[in-house]
Amino acid sequence: MKHNLISLTNMIRTRFAPSPTGYLHIGGVRTALFNWLFAKQAGGQFILRIDDTDAGRNVTEAIQPILDGFRWLGMNWDEGPEVGGPHEPYFQSGRDELHKQAAAKLVESGHAYRDYAKPDEFNALRQAAEKAKVPFVYDRRWMACDDAAAAAFEAEGRTAVVRLKMPREGQCVISDLVRGEVRIDWASEQDHVIQRADGSCLYHLASVVDDNDFEISHVIRSEEHLSNTPRQIFILESLGYERPVYAHLPYVAEPGGHSKLSKRKLAKYQKNKDFANLMERGSKIAERCGIATEADTFNPVIVDFYREIGFTPDAILNYLLLLGWSLDGEREKFSVVEMTKLFSLERVTKAPASFDPQKLLAFQGDAFAALPLEERIAKTKPFAIASGLIQDGDAESEGKLEDVVEAAGDRLKIAGDILDFDYCFVDEYAVNAKAYAKRITKPESAKALLGKLRVPMEQAEAFDAASLEKLVKQFCEDEGIQIGEIIHALRVATTGSPAGFGMFETLAVIGKDKAVARIDAVSLR
RNA sequence: GGCCCCUUCGUCUAGCGGUCUAGGACACCGCCCUUUCACGGCGGCGACACGGGUUCGAGUCCCGUAGGGGUCACCA
């Protein structure tokens, strides 16, 4: 829908600006989600910009996983890579000229200066201040006041960076939609470099210039940027730009901890039981489906992980929404449409929220169970095919998949869980040794009963669940035993597992031949 | 270390001075249902970091302490 009647200057425009790292961080998704919801709610635009000023990386390759991640999650962007827009390019590297012009303008207006300090000279100053335990204030001794001074420095063989000539009095007041009013003394700020000696520009300058050019109205980002805000405000005001509205979100913290969730700390998270369980669950699915499991992208910090093992995008969005936001403390389930209507920055919490794999999984389980049967079948199918459980296009095995998914019901929490029921499909399946000992080896009558039961089973004309139930119950009556005395052994013998969906549905889906053969294999051993 | 931010059950959170013997969700523990597991139902465990104020009254306001975190690059 276009809003031609609304002037562009009043438009709500938000952005998410990932660096091309090759993966989409779950915390980044949360930040992007809040930006996206805020824009969508207001009928505004959500823009994707790639902050690729770090040269030498293969950008195209490294942004693909990020773009794919957003697409999979259903978070469309109104302007950005692949979709274009009126402010192209959407790659920071392609906007270098704009940044350089801004830097020149700042020097021109006296808000920045050429600084001819050599890196070690400057560092020496900084270290001296540190050693003396006094706040470092650069005395600007290598600042070029004018072209003549610059020429003199250059005659010495020096090269210049451009530094901000930051105020040293007063306060920078940030009105933040999440944190309220934040005041920072200008004196505590440094003369930050905005342009390198080689002429390339640094992030803060680029970011401010691009946000202005893109007409970003609300800068919604993670709180680690709060301390960067004063310098950005100085840049933007010096350039005569209008100040965007700021909202600094708490970051997503590590499971069971309070520091920022980082993919570099995977080893540490592995010690967290819930995180390790999720990881292991995913790895099992991935290995059997031939999915690459490089630690770089295949782990619960990265969105790809969830896509690969069959999570539902909406469940992830819903869970992430609650990481730092709540409607009223009661309601937790929201469709994407609902969250778009109900989200508000005012209700974002201030404290970091730690990532809880268990709750994510609970949301996922509910979301998956709520899907219509056909969708659950469609979602599990690729996993069944990839792991060799069924053959694509083979009507018989596909029919079996449908039966299993239906019978499994909410025991399937993620699509990849279909592999838990591999014994329904294939000949080779794992036997749970503990269950075998408990239900077959230990009870003295187990093998004998199984040996007897296989006779009427083999003779059965109908091998559907209802008929099987009748058959087994009749058998128990004839033998004068409780159903519990045979059914556990039956399950372990035919599935190898102590748990699963209904016994009779299980037998029906396994089929007479296999079921009887499995019983024989056990009872005759 | 300087500056800034944050602090309610294990975790996510509700609470915007009296309705709080602090509510919900996930997890956990019982019981029920049941051929197992899961679901579901019922119940339970479990928190206002601490210390001062302000107030008739504080989880809610103020100050301090402690703790946690972020940030201090010619990274983004």
Side-chain angles (χ1 to χ4, degrees), chain A residues 9 60 139 149 186 237 277 280 290 369 407 425:
Chain A
T9 51
T60 324
D139 58 15
W186 282 119
E237 290 187 339
N277 283 162
E280 199 195 322
F425 302 90

Side-chain angles (χ1 to χ4, degrees), chain A residues 263-447:
Chain A
K263 91 167 174 106
R264 288 176 221 291
K265 293 196 246 167
L266 280 176
K268 180 181 176 189
Y269 306 157
Q270 289 292 358
K271 289 177 191 149
N272 176 282
K273 198 173 109 264
D274 300 331
F275 187 94
N277 283 162
L278 216 208
M279 180 81 183
E280 199 195 322
R281 190 164 180 167
S283 299
K284 264 189 195 160
I285 295 169
E287 276 161 28
R288 294 180 60 181
C289 293
I291 295 164
T293 55
E294 284 89 46
D296 240 26
T297 53
F298 192 80
N299 67 259
V301 175
I302 309 302
V303 171
D304 298 36
F305 174 85
Y306 301 97
R307 186 183 56 214
E308 308 266 46
I309 66 175
F311 265 69
T312 309
D314 288 5
I316 294 175
L317 260 22
N318 196 160
Y319 173 72
L320 255 21
L321 173 72
L322 262 23
L323 230 42
W325 179 86
S326 73
L327 180 68
D328 53 14
E330 298 284 325
R331 183 166 167 199
E332 293 201 313
K333 298 297 171 65
F334 302 92
S335 69
V336 173
V337 172
E338 288 167 337
M339 58 179 94
T340 304
K341 281 192 187 133
L342 299 167
F343 178 76
S344 66
L345 286 172
E346 285 70 24
R347 291 197 59 85
V348 170
T349 54
K350 295 179 180 187
S354 90
F355 175 74
D356 180 358
Q358 279 196 97
K359 189 151 182 171
L360 204 210
L361 203 55
F363 270 57
Q364 166 59 28
D366 290 348
F368 199 78
L371 256 25
L373 178 62
E374 308 78 65
E375 271 188 61
R376 277 179 282 139
I377 293 167
K379 283 182 187 296
T380 50
K381 196 171 165 184
F383 293 92
I385 293 171
S387 60
L389 259 36
I390 68 170
Q391 278 71 52
D392 197 7
D394 173 51
E396 195 193 325
S397 64
E398 284 183 2
K400 190 173 262 198
L401 176 69
E402 290 171 17
D403 291 344
V404 172
V405 173
E406 182 170 15
D410 50 32
R411 272 161 272 244
L412 292 173
K413 293 199 186 300
I414 51 186
D417 283 347
I418 190 68
L419 302 187
D420 290 345
F421 303 100
D422 57 354
Y423 54 72
C424 293
F425 302 90
V426 295
D427 293 328
E428 295 290 316
Y429 59 95
V431 175
N432 182 311
K434 207 174 151 192
Y436 191 93
K438 182 180 176 189
R439 322 245 64 148
I440 291 176
T441 310
K442 194 175 161 225
E444 284 172 18
S445 58
K447 287 188 180 178

Side-chain angles (χ1 to χ4, degrees), chain A residues 192-232:
Chain A
H192 305 283
V193 173
I194 53 173
Q195 188 172 23
R196 298 183 182 94
D198 69 2
S200 61
C201 293
L202 265 6
Y203 169 76
H204 294 290
L205 204 224
S207 181
V208 164
V209 169
D210 293 344
D211 283 350
N212 178 257
D213 189 46
F214 290 174
E215 300 179 81
I216 301 302
S217 63
H218 295 252
V219 171
I220 303 166
R221 69 218 319 190
S222 184
E223 69 176 298
E224 60 254 35
H225 287 286
L226 187 56
S227 338
N228 300 328
T229 308
R231 83 181 78 163
Q232 295 187 1

Side-chain angles (χ1 to χ4, degrees), chain A residues 75-89:
Chain A
M75 291 170 62
N76 59 305
W77 52 104
D78 299 288
E79 296 171 28
E82 295 185 356
V83 306
H87 299 280
E88 294 204 283

Side-chain angles (χ1 to χ4, degrees), chain A residues 3 5-13 38-39 42-45 215-218 242:
Chain A
H3 299 265
L5 297 177
I6 303 170
S7 113
L8 199 60
T9 51
N10 293 330
M11 196 59 108
I12 301 290
R13 288 169 63 85
F38 186 75
Q45 282 102 40
E215 300 179 81
I216 301 302
S217 63
H218 295 252
E242 203 176 316

